[in-house]
Amino acid sequence: MQEEINILIQAQYPLIYLITSEEERSEQAIATVAQTKPQRRVFLWTVTHGIVEYGQPRTTTQHNTVSPEAAIEWVIRQKEPNTNGGIYIFKDLHPFIDSPPVTRWLRDAIASFKGTQKTIILMSPVQQVPIELEKEVIVLDFPLPDMKELDQVLSKQLEQTKKSRISKEVREKLLKAALGLTKDEAEKVYRKAQVTTGRLTEQEVDIILSEKKQLIRRNGILEFIEEDETLDAVGGLEELKRWLRQRSNAFTERAREYGLPQPKGMLILGVPGCGKSLIAKTTSRLWSLPLLRLDMGRVYDGSMVGRSEANLRNALKTAESISPAILFIDELDKSFAGNSGSADSDGGTSSRIFGSFLTWMQEKKSPVFVMATANRVERLPGEFLRKGRFDELFFVDLPTKEERQDIFKIHLSKRRRDIDRFDLEQLANVSDGFSGAEIEQALVAAMYEAFAQDREFTQLDIIAAIKSTMPLSKTMIEQVTALRDWARQRARPAASSVAEYQRMEF
């Protein structure tokens, strides 16, 4: 980024918009650029102190430059015949930039800078560019610290403690855990780990990850999900589990050295209540990656034009900053179902968000694995289903007899130790056509019935609860049949028995 800023200044770009919340780190990078030949002076503007030369105390401000209009006028008047120009950093100008006088003064400054070595850099954590300046400004995102910079922060903390000696492997884990934090956040969390335990070791990675959770909570669009269940808590779906286990080390350096590309994502279609969401949640435990749920309901914001698109960009940028991570989108068919006719309903917001998300999925380089679930395939835009968006498209059907036995065994084991008194095969037979969620609810209903009578629930209670339940496969038989017909030739079955049969058939 420092090299990019240097090139733009050398090429006499008059206006640069730098999006960052790390003012000090950004200033240092710009000051380093200013020291390269030809050298330039650097000035800082804030609404509290006006214009101050970089490196000088705030008391030495330029008089009458607190207002944005006066500050920009002062910059235009600087002739500086004996220097090679100047770099003028305006901090947090975004609340004023839509003001007609400020916009006009900036356009006057751009016109006056032609043939000079003067550059204005607008530094702000918020991107807000008036339409009058769109053709004149170049927008840059100042990146978060990389491993090299975080290593300097960690080394500084270790020098201060004079106690912690860590191995190369532990250092790498501490650095990777801090990826996605700002330099200040990394310094604070390393100090927090040091204060909490008196040392910096592999066990302190959890403390560093807790800071990332705060980052997600502050974002407001993403939700950090912690799942205690493992993949073994999902009954059946052995083909899908095998696919996930094969890729458990897909984000390691060893996989890159082997020549494997980073996995992009997977789409899980299926009948409601058959474990699609649980698979997504337990995959984070299997892969040891943070799971971020993207709430599309929070993305849409009609309070301001462009706000929804900005929400999506910020959410995706946050997910990339703490990658490798899993981005979970539940019920994708509901999130993007209305994009085709959105020009009439919401001014095209849904279409723009849909297009932005597709572009990001296609072009992203960061290790963010998109895991999406859907129930209604006919509502999904065709662009999602083409090869290249997802690595694999899985179909989760109603559980087979063997899978229903596994599901009963899992749910009974959670609630009772002595499950030998239950005939799992009989329960699997009477629950034909039931989803995993419906099996669990039938078991809960049987327990409530027995609890109300102050006794232990039995096999007969479960059978009675099953027989009194009408499963979704019967109430929505047309929808389930259509989904099965579509998936038979277009999706990979999640159940091992079906997958093996299709391989033999092929």
Side-chain angles (χ1 to χ4, degrees):
M1 177 54 67
Q2 188 170 300
E3 183 180 352
E4 176 71 11
I5 294 173
N6 187 29
I7 291 172
L8 293 174
I9 292 174
Q10 296 281 0
Q12 298 181 7
Y13 276 68
L15 187 62
I16 300 171
Y17 201 124
L18 194 62
I19 302 174
T20 179
S21 57
E22 296 184 275
E23 289 184 351
E24 183 179 353
R25 185 165 156 260
S26 304
E27 288 170 20
Q28 291 173 352
I30 295 169
T32 303
V33 169
Q35 294 305 310
T36 59
K37 293 184 179 181
Q39 293 186 356
R40 293 172 173 80
R41 297 173 70 185
V42 179
F43 294 88
L44 308 174
W45 175 87
T46 61
V47 72
T48 51
H49 294 90
I51 290 180
V52 182
E53 186 164 3
Y54 180 77
Q56 299 296 320
R58 292 183 174 180
T59 53
T60 59
T61 61
Q62 304 298 328
H63 295 294
N64 302 320
T65 58
V66 170
S67 77
E69 297 92 333
I72 300 170
E73 182 185 8
W74 182 88
V75 170
I76 293 173
R77 287 190 282 105
Q78 300 310 300
K79 301 300 182 183
E80 303 185 73
N82 298 323
T83 68
N84 292 302
I87 301 173
Y88 305 90
I89 302 174
F90 281 71
K91 298 182 181 180
D92 295 332
L93 190 67
H94 62 275
F96 313 98
I97 201 168
D98 281 327
S99 166
V102 173
T103 304
R104 185 66 255 176
W105 272 113
L106 283 172
R107 298 189 75 184
D108 290 346
I110 291 168
S112 71
F113 286 0
K114 290 182 179 179
T116 71
Q117 298 292 331
K118 292 159 73 172
T119 300
I120 288 179
I121 297 180
L122 307 180
M123 185 186 295
S124 169
V126 179
Q127 179 180 338
Q128 192 165 332
V129 180
I131 192 169
E132 297 90 342
L133 298 174
E134 284 182 354
K135 299 293 185 182
E136 307 289 349
V137 66
I138 182 165
V139 180
L140 299 177
D141 283 298
F142 196 77
L144 291 164
D146 56 17
M147 292 273 283
K148 184 178 179 181
E149 290 179 275
L150 290 174
D151 189 47
Q152 295 173 355
V153 175
L154 180 58
S155 297
K156 182 179 178 182
Q157 182 62 31
L158 291 173
E159 288 174 5
Q160 291 176 353
T161 60
K162 297 180 181 179
K163 293 181 180 179
S164 298
R165 292 183 179 180
I166 57 176
S167 65
K168 182 180 178 181
E169 291 76 15
V170 172
R171 178 181 284 267
E172 184 178 353
K173 287 186 177 181
L174 289 169
L175 293 176
K176 284 188 174 180
L179 277 175
L181 302 178
T182 66
K183 186 178 178 181
D184 286 340
E185 286 172 333
E187 288 176 351
K188 286 186 288 188
V189 76
Y190 284 143
R191 287 200 301 269
K192 180 181 177 182
Q194 181 71 31
V195 170
T196 304
T197 63
R199 57 183 181 174
L200 277 169
T201 63
E202 186 176 352
Q203 283 68 38
E204 279 61 63
V205 170
D206 289 338
I207 298 176
I208 300 170
L209 290 176
S210 68
E211 190 71 17
K212 285 191 175 181
K213 296 175 189 176
Q214 289 295 326
L215 180 68
I216 297 302
R217 292 190 182 101
R218 292 196 295 267
N219 175 272
I221 309 297
L222 295 172
E223 178 186 356
F224 195 102
I225 297 178
E226 296 181 89
E227 182 60 51
D228 295 330
E229 299 282 7
T230 65
L231 205 60
D232 295 331
V234 182
L237 310 184
E238 294 303 324
E239 183 75 6
L240 175 54
K241 291 179 183 178
R242 187 178 68 84
W243 191 91
L244 292 170
R245 289 189 177 106
Q246 280 184 340
R247 286 155 181 79
S248 59
N249 294 316
F251 294 99
T252 62
E253 288 301 318
R254 188 166 64 88
R256 301 291 81 75
E257 293 170 0
Y258 191 80
L260 287 171
Q262 291 174 344
K264 289 185 176 182
M266 66 185 300
L267 176 60
I268 308 176
L269 298 170
V271 181
C274 289
K276 300 187 298 297
S277 299
L278 184 58
I279 276 284
K281 294 175 182 177
T282 53
T283 300
S284 67
R285 283 285 302 272
L286 176 66
W287 288 1
S288 300
L289 295 180
L291 179 66
L292 313 176
R293 180 176 178 270
L294 177 60
D295 188 344
M296 293 303 298
R298 296 179 182 177
V299 168
Y300 290 98
D301 185 347
S303 63
M304 187 185 302
V305 176
R307 184 68 179 177
S308 300
E309 295 89 326
N311 285 342
L312 180 64
R313 284 196 303 270
N314 291 336
L316 296 178
K317 191 184 298 182
T318 301
E320 288 183 325
S321 70
I322 67 169
S323 60
I326 298 173
L327 184 66
F328 175 42
I329 308 175
D330 202 11
E331 298 187 340
L332 187 72
D333 46 328
K334 294 182 176 64
S335 302
F336 293 104
N339 77 87
S340 57
S342 72
D344 298 327
S345 60
D346 60 9
T349 299
S350 297
S351 296
R352 290 193 297 272
I353 287 178
F354 174 66
S356 298
F357 187 73
L358 283 180
T359 302
W360 174 79
M361 283 188 65
Q362 186 67 28
E363 299 180 356
K364 67 181 174 72
K365 304 297 182 184
S366 57
V368 177
F369 186 84
V370 179
M371 183 170 276
T373 67
N375 297 322
R376 301 289 296 273
V377 67
E378 71 275 8
R379 292 182 179 178
L380 280 175
E383 295 90 332
F384 269 129
L385 301 176
R386 79 161 181 82
K387 289 293 183 181
R389 302 292 186 202
F390 296 99
D391 296 320
E392 194 58 84
L393 176 62
F394 275 99
F395 174 64
V396 178
D397 202 349
L398 291 167
T400 62
K401 177 183 175 181
E402 292 75 16
E403 289 176 331
R404 291 196 298 275
Q405 284 186 232
D406 288 341
I407 294 169
F408 272 111
K409 183 177 180 180
I410 289 169
H411 287 302
L412 286 169
S413 298
K414 287 181 181 178
R415 295 162 173 83
R416 294 292 184 271
R417 293 182 180 179
D418 56 330
I419 67 170
D420 293 337
R421 60 192 177 92
F422 296 101
D423 186 347
L424 300 181
E425 185 175 358
Q426 183 187 25
L427 293 175
N429 286 330
V430 297
S431 60
D432 185 27
F434 276 58
S435 67
E438 288 167 339
I439 288 173
E440 182 181 14
Q441 289 308 306
L443 177 58
V444 171
M447 293 179 68
Y448 268 115
E449 180 70 25
F451 179 74
Q453 300 176 22
D454 195 21
R455 61 178 177 80
E456 181 65 7
F457 70 99
T458 65
Q459 177 99 357
L460 293 177
D461 292 320
I462 301 174
I463 293 174
I466 291 171
K467 289 188 176 296
S468 64
T469 302
M470 182 65 70
L472 187 68
S473 61
K474 293 182 179 179
T475 57
M476 301 290 291
I477 186 171
E478 294 85 0
Q479 179 183 327
V480 173
T481 302
L483 182 59
R484 282 173 162 174
D485 291 341
W486 185 94
R488 186 172 290 112
Q489 300 297 330
R490 297 176 177 88
R492 185 171 176 175
S496 58
S497 57
V498 181
E500 186 61 32
Y501 173 77
Q502 288 191 0
R503 280 193 287 267
M504 290 173 62
E505 188 178 37
F506 178 77

